[in-house]
Amino acid sequence: MTEQSDDQVKLPDPVEMNKNMAEIAERSSKLVNDFLQRQAEQAPNTQIDPLNIGQAFFDMTAQMMSNPAKIVEAQMELWQQYMQLWHVTAQRMMGQESEPLVSPEQGDRRFKDEAWEDNQLFDFIKQSYLLTARWMQEQVREVDGLDDKTAQKVDFYTKQFVDALAPSNFLMTNPQVLRATLESGGENLVNGLQNLLDDLERGKISMTDHDAFEVGDNIAITPGKVVYQNELMQLIQYEPATETVHKVPLLIIPPWINKYYILDLREKNSFVKWATEQGLTVFVISWVNPDESLAQKSFEDYMSQGFFEAFDAVTQETDEQEVNVIGYCLGGTMLASALAYLHAKKPQDPGPDPSQIKSATFFTAMTDFSEAGELGVFIDEVQLSALEEKMEKQGYLEGSAMATTFNMLRANDLIWSFVVNNYLLGKDPFPFDLLYWNSDSTRMPAAMHSFYLRRMYQENKLIEPGGITLKGVPIDLRKIETPSFMLSAKEDHIAPWKGTYALTQLAKGPVKFVLAASGHIAGVINPPSSGKYCYWTNSRHPKNPDTWLKNAEEHPGSWWPEWYKWIARKSGPKKTPARKPGDGKLKPIEEAPGSYVRVKAN
């Protein structure tokens, strides 16, 4: 903390401070006892190592111990760095200027408080942590003799461990928390404990003010109606925003891992609303939040009852036989699989004729899972078997399990920042539409999810010609002739862009590949009005994605207008009178956003 004179420091009332600390001690004791009791009750049915971490670290330790000289060398290197740090810190304490030995990475918000740099003690704590963290991760990355999967797992969980031990996560080593504790007389810790108790009851860390948003009230509010539904999905048709519209309608297939309204958060960042303003007739699938009754629903069911039935409904409602289709994330993986199926099937097989799919747009959609990034850490035989055993009992995978996995990919932003804000500073989380959506999780049917994880993530069969069979038809991505627009995000941790780029080398039809800045969500949900980020284009598609990027042209701002220029050429002239829900053959069922999206996962 920065130094202050006595007349600037307002010391807390010692009586009030003692009262608060006593309350914290009493409630903390009860909290721990209750937690331990619950763990003891659950212990008989709890797997010791469901993430299969132990074996990976055992293998790493065995390899390290086989070369003791290297361990000694590494220890001496760390000791020398500590001595250098102590020398630099001593210089600062004597009033001399000195450059830091190590600094946080750009964008690391854990050390944004000025005291981490201005105060010699906290600067020493910060640098010693960063040195140790860097050293630990370098050591595990340099271990020889590990297979790629084990090395990836060791590296990932070492980072989780390092992130958890950051000094910013603890009361006594976080200057901002210490300052808040002194200024409030410990009230922040009392509030933080209450926040922790509330979150334990809720079963997850609060990332936003859950009372600030309500689906259909101030989020997911673009006007429209549900015009079709079955047990897996509702189909929403949105009200037109222009007097005339393009001839070819647009169908959006969102991922069923999350709810569709990421594309319709609020007016300022709604892709759906913006698309209607461009004169497009927009339909969106809203997937059901499945329970045990849908346990046996398969990937094929999501294709036939989801995509194909929605497609038929769109053609009935608009009286058009051609449709433009967008698939986002898992919805895009399914779209690619379905297109390969449609191009290989016989005329009598289920599904539309492939020529009816006027164009396909893929938002951050994986097809080659050899480049699955850090999500691959969670895919091995031990973990999949444990997951399948759990899903077999419930009939589905809890939405919270998927949410936790995704949050671990960005633990500092999506876990530890909220630990500090909610529990140490005792603040209520800020209302944020994107984080509300992120917390509104969905379940996964057991049969579908097992197929997806095994056949695609673990075995990478989708990229293999004939590797996957749908509705009795072996599929081959190389048969796709549909014109395609592929949008990926440069910092995507869920669908790494070099993995999504692989489809450019397979699809037979014309392809336009665009790379957006930022990540899996912010890279996609980036309206032109925000003026944020940039994107890259390149008309050529070399085999190496790095070569593509090296020769790509950078453009400022949102990629949305770039996509509209492309989709407008596939949509026909804007001369058709605007189509309202109910104008066609389908009778509206209820107002958007519909009832399926309102169902909460446990």
Side-chain angles (χ1 to χ4, degrees), residues 352-561:
D353 188 89
S355 64
Q356 292 182 267
I357 313 296
K358 184 72 171 178
S359 73
T361 297
F362 300 91
F363 291 169
T364 61
M366 293 286 290
T367 50
D368 181 357
F369 290 82
S370 64
E371 297 282 351
E374 291 180 331
L375 275 178
V377 167
F378 301 94
I379 309 297
D380 58 39
E381 186 57 39
V382 173
Q383 292 184 85
L384 287 181
S385 296
L387 188 63
E388 287 170 338
E389 182 180 348
K390 185 176 182 180
M391 289 194 296
E392 186 177 351
K393 293 177 181 178
Q394 294 180 310
Y396 55 84
L397 177 67
E398 281 288 2
S400 58
M402 290 296 298
T404 299
T405 298
F406 290 137
N407 291 344
M408 287 176 70
L409 301 181
R410 294 177 52 208
N412 285 328
D413 292 332
L414 296 178
I415 298 177
W416 297 112
S417 65
F418 295 102
V419 168
V420 174
N421 181 81
N422 300 4
Y423 310 150
L424 297 183
L425 293 174
K427 295 180 179 180
D428 293 329
F430 185 78
F432 187 14
D433 54 1
L434 180 58
L435 290 177
Y436 177 85
W437 166 85
N438 189 58
S439 300
D440 191 8
S441 55
T442 55
R443 309 179 193 99
M444 297 290 107
M448 182 285 302
H449 203 52
S450 178
F451 173 88
Y452 174 58
L453 293 180
R454 282 197 176 277
R455 301 290 285 161
M456 295 186 181
Y457 263 102
Q458 185 186 35
E459 300 171 8
N460 197 23
K461 289 294 186 180
L462 182 57
I463 205 77
E464 182 181 314
I468 285 178
T469 298
L470 297 175
K471 296 289 183 182
V473 177
I475 66 171
D476 184 351
L477 298 180
R478 296 176 302 176
K479 294 183 180 293
I480 297 175
E481 299 178 1
T482 308
S484 300
F485 183 104
M486 300 177 190
L487 185 279
S488 297
K490 194 166 186 284
E491 298 167 29
D492 195 332
H493 295 281
I494 295 172
W497 79 271
K498 293 180 183 180
T500 63
Y501 180 84
L503 189 56
T504 65
Q505 306 301 299
L506 296 170
K508 188 184 298 183
V511 170
K512 181 178 179 67
F513 185 85
V514 174
L515 183 64
S518 196
H520 192 70
I521 302 301
V524 176
I525 310 305
N526 181 30
S529 59
S530 71
K532 294 171 65 176
Y533 310 130
C534 64
Y535 65 95
W536 293 265
T537 60
N538 184 347
S539 60
R540 297 181 179 274
H541 302 109
K543 185 175 181 179
N544 189 323
D546 290 320
T547 303
W548 181 93
L549 181 58
K550 180 181 178 181
N551 297 310
E553 180 182 358
E554 181 178 329
H555 309 270
S558 170
W559 58 269
W560 291 12

Side-chain angles (χ1 to χ4, degrees), residues 13 44 118 130 137 148 168 174-175 187 200 206 212 251 374 389 401 416 461 470 505-506 510 530 533 552 556:
D13 182 345
D118 295 343
L130 292 173
Q137 291 185 271
D148 292 343
S168 53
N174 186 322
E187 189 66 27
L200 285 173
S206 293
L251 171 62
E374 291 180 331
E389 182 180 348
W416 297 112
K461 289 294 186 180
L470 297 175
Q505 306 301 299
L506 296 170
S530 71
Y533 310 130

Side-chain angles (χ1 to χ4, degrees), residues 202-277:
R202 189 178 290 113
K204 56 186 175 183
I205 298 174
S206 293
M207 296 183 176
T208 186
D209 181 356
H210 295 276
D211 297 327
F213 300 102
E214 184 176 346
V215 173
D217 180 28
N218 58 356
I219 199 168
I221 58 172
T222 300
K225 290 180 172 61
V226 174
V227 295
Y228 181 83
Q229 70 179 39
N230 59 31
E231 61 183 342
L232 275 185
M233 62 88 179
Q234 289 187 318
L235 180 66
I236 301 171
Q237 180 183 358
Y238 288 93
E239 297 282 353
T242 55
E243 292 185 1
T244 59
V245 294
H246 289 283
K247 179 178 174 62
V248 181
L250 176 69
L251 171 62
I252 301 176
I253 309 171
W256 51 89
I257 286 179
N258 297 104
K259 294 185 177 179
Y260 85 88
Y261 67 86
I262 185 60
L263 296 164
D264 185 31
L265 288 170
R266 292 196 277 183
E267 287 190 9
K268 64 179 182 179
N269 57 3
S270 170
F271 179 83
V272 166
K273 181 176 183 295
W274 178 86
T276 63
E277 291 170 347

Side-chain angles (χ1 to χ4, degrees), residues 53-65 146 150 154:
I53 302 171
Q55 186 62 48
F57 277 88
F58 178 84
D59 292 345
M60 180 201 70
T61 304
Q63 291 295 333
M64 291 183 71
M65 295 301 292
L146 297 179
T150 301
V154 167

